[in-house]
Amino acid sequence: MKFARSYSSGPLGGAIPAKKLKYVPTSGTYPKGFQASGVIVGIKANNTTKPDLALLTSDRPCAAAAVFTTNKFQAAPVTFSRDVLRTKANAGFRSVIINSGCANAVTGTGGLEDAAKMAKTTDQKIGSEDSTLVMSTGVIGQRLPIQKIVDYIPVAYHEAGDSHKHWLNCAKAICTTDTFPKLMSRSFELPSSPGIEYRIAGMTKGAGMLAPNMATLLTILATDAPIAPKIMPSVVRYAADRSFNAITVDGDTSTNDTMALLANGAAGGKEVAEEGSADYEAFREILTDFSADLAKYIVRDGEGATKFVTIKVEESLTEEAAREVARTIARSPLVKTALYGKDANWGRILCAAGYALISPPGQPVNDVPDIAPERTSVSFIPTDGSPELKLLINGEPEQVDEERASEILEMEDLEILVRLGTGKKSAVHWTCDLSHDYVTINGDYRT
């Protein structure tokens, strides 16, 4: 029996669910000098309708940086791309080639050879050497149909263009169980170059096997701002920690996760070259906000999800403690299933917060009071602007208005606010609920 997703009602390739159409852009403002494409290869033999090979390429060399999965079984494209970035010191990149339908993960030396072939074939079409990053997503443990992919890379190159349709096809081609393509673009300025319109665009995929550091996601970002190679890693890492490392669907960390940024400088202006400069700080915040907005699309498309949930932790002694508490609440199966059942079981939220900062066995016990039970408060924050529903105040439980709680939990968007009462730092995490459909989808994923 095939699945029917209540909120995410089918993998991309069929009709986009009505609730998701509002997230798919009908136009865009794309960075100069970049072209994109998405073509049908049939990497999965039964795929004859969905693009599954994506290409993003620049007409000039780019500075580039990426953040990768922390899973110990890292896929061949992760290993390949990390090595080429290190070898070239984040400079001289022209393109990213991505396939969906097969992760090329846990495939041994043959998988590394396949990743290298994808890059080399792309380089040959572009007329550049060692200038391509590689990404793959899909089933783990299977070899790519590499000859089929290599044969279609020239097709992807010749079909590349700079229109909205080209970018949207590219975004569609990286999807797996996603129900809608996740694409975004916007314009910005930098302090040292007033009057110059810079542009940033990004696409991402992911709906399951999603957990921090990172998730089963691929993210490709491109800008025409002039960013120096030496500062690229720091801005990408900062943005990732506050966006794609701040989302959870199910608590699993994939083998292929990659977030990459390419900057070609095609719009001109002064190069952003020094950490701490006004341009650096401005661009870092622009990239972070943009990445966070793009990351939220992934949570909204969580496998089987019916709710988009923001977890805010405030009044924390440190940002790290706030982030860990928010992350732990976000990935708790008991919290997520209660939200799916529209049950105001705030005890599960408190329980998750309480074990978030426990020292692992054999590690020194943390004597710093990261959490003060007698000063901890928990509330539901409605998304319609009405007053918060207080559930716990300074360690004392409130008499919960079950009818009001039910009204709040009926909403598609929900915010959970936890105040720890130990300091002034805060963090935010985005997650979804966990439904029956999640089990059905993942029981059917490979077969």
Side-chain angles (χ1 to χ4, degrees):
M1 178 173 154
K2 297 297 180 181
F3 61 80
R5 297 168 74 175
S6 56
Y7 179 55
S8 304
S9 59
L12 190 65
I16 296 171
K19 286 187 176 181
K20 306 297 183 68
L21 286 172
K22 61 187 176 183
Y23 303 124
V24 181
T26 56
S27 62
T29 303
Y30 299 106
K32 297 177 181 178
F34 285 97
Q35 292 191 325
S37 68
V39 299
I40 302 172
V41 173
I43 292 169
K44 278 189 172 182
N46 62 353
N47 174 43
T48 59
T49 60
K50 186 189 93 65
D52 53 5
L53 183 66
L55 173 67
L56 179 67
T57 185
S58 171
D59 64 4
R60 66 200 71 193
C62 303
V67 176
F68 300 98
T69 180
T70 56
N71 193 303
K72 296 298 183 183
F73 290 95
Q74 297 186 348
V78 169
T79 300
F80 175 87
S81 296
R82 177 186 284 115
D83 287 349
V84 73
L85 281 165
R86 184 184 301 117
T87 299
K88 297 195 66 175
N90 303 98
F93 289 88
R94 291 282 302 276
S95 58
V96 184
I97 188 75
I98 315 107
N99 76 273
S100 60
C102 179
N104 191 13
V106 198
T107 46
T109 56
L112 283 170
E113 292 169 359
D114 290 345
K117 285 180 183 177
M118 289 176 65
K120 184 175 180 180
T121 305
T122 306
D123 285 339
Q124 288 172 343
K125 293 305 301 180
I126 292 168
S128 186
E129 188 174 348
D130 297 328
S131 67
T132 298
L133 300 176
V134 181
M135 301 183 190
S136 299
T137 184
V139 176
I140 296 170
Q142 297 181 2
R143 288 286 298 275
L144 290 169
I146 188 61
Q147 191 56 50
K148 188 185 291 188
I149 292 173
V150 166
D151 288 345
Y152 270 88
I153 287 175
V155 178
Y157 175 77
H158 288 297
E159 292 194 8
D162 59 7
S163 73
H164 173 68
K165 182 178 180 180
H166 288 100
W167 280 84
L168 190 59
N169 283 340
C170 191
K172 289 177 179 178
I174 68 175
C175 293
T176 50
T177 60
D178 307 66
T179 69
F180 69 96
K182 301 164 180 67
L183 173 66
M184 186 181 296
S185 63
R186 64 183 55 155
S187 300
F188 63 94
E189 291 188 355
L190 292 174
S192 70
S193 303
I196 295 181
E197 179 193 35
Y198 294 113
R199 300 176 178 185
I200 185 169
M203 63 194 82
T204 190
K205 63 81 51 182
M209 201 181 281
L210 278 157
N213 303 318
M214 293 173 54
T216 186
L217 63 86
L218 301 181
T219 301
I220 306 98
L221 305 165
T223 181
D224 53 17
I227 313 297
K230 67 178 181 179
I231 69 166
M232 288 282 281
S234 66
V235 295
V236 171
R237 167 55 67 184
Y238 183 93
D241 283 344
R242 290 155 181 80
S243 59
F244 294 101
N245 280 345
I247 58 174
T248 300
V249 167
D250 52 18
D252 270 7
T253 298
S254 178
T255 55
N256 289 60
D257 313 329
T258 305
M259 168 188 172
L261 170 67
L262 274 65
N264 68 4
K270 182 180 178 182
E271 184 179 54
V272 182
E274 297 298 329
E275 289 193 24
S277 66
D279 280 352
Y280 174 89
E281 298 291 340
F283 180 72
R284 190 175 70 170
E285 290 308 311
I286 289 162
L287 179 65
T288 300
D289 291 345
F290 184 84
S291 298
D293 288 342
L294 198 55
K296 292 174 189 177
Y297 282 169
I298 293 178
V299 177
R300 291 193 178 280
D301 202 24
E303 290 175 343
T306 69
K307 295 187 183 303
F308 177 87
V309 187
T310 300
I311 312 288
K312 283 188 178 179
V313 175
E314 297 180 348
E315 298 179 12
S316 174
L317 186 65
T318 66
E319 182 179 344
E320 291 75 16
R323 193 176 297 166
E324 185 58 31
V325 170
R327 178 183 295 140
T328 304
I329 295 169
R331 69 187 178 203
S332 165
L334 290 178
V335 171
K336 292 159 76 68
T337 50
L339 293 171
Y340 173 65
K342 305 182 180 77
D343 180 7
N345 193 344
W346 58 266
R348 293 182 175 181
I349 299 169
L350 200 66
C351 178
Y355 67 71
L357 301 173
I358 295 175
S359 299
Q363 297 296 316
V365 175
N366 182 9
D367 293 326
V368 179
D370 291 312
I371 294 179
E374 71 281 3
R375 296 198 296 274
T376 297
S377 301
V378 178
S379 296
F380 286 158
I381 309 296
T383 55
D384 60 3
S386 58
E388 68 182 283
L389 178 63
K390 297 179 180 180
L391 307 169
L392 181 77
I393 300 177
N394 292 327
E396 296 291 336
E398 293 291 286
Q399 184 65 41
V400 178
D401 182 341
E402 295 292 348
E403 184 176 347
R404 177 63 180 140
S406 179
E407 290 174 354
I408 295 172
L409 291 170
E410 284 286 345
M411 299 178 187
E412 187 177 300
D413 285 30
L414 169 70
E415 181 180 316
I416 296 172
L417 175 62
V418 178
R419 300 179 177 95
L420 299 181
T422 57
K424 297 181 179 180
K425 300 297 184 179
S426 62
V428 64
H429 204 97
W430 297 283
T431 190
C432 59
D433 56 351
L434 197 60
S435 73
H436 302 288
D437 280 352
Y438 176 84
V439 178
T440 306
I441 290 164
N442 283 284
D444 193 47
Y445 181 72
R446 193 173 70 89
T447 56

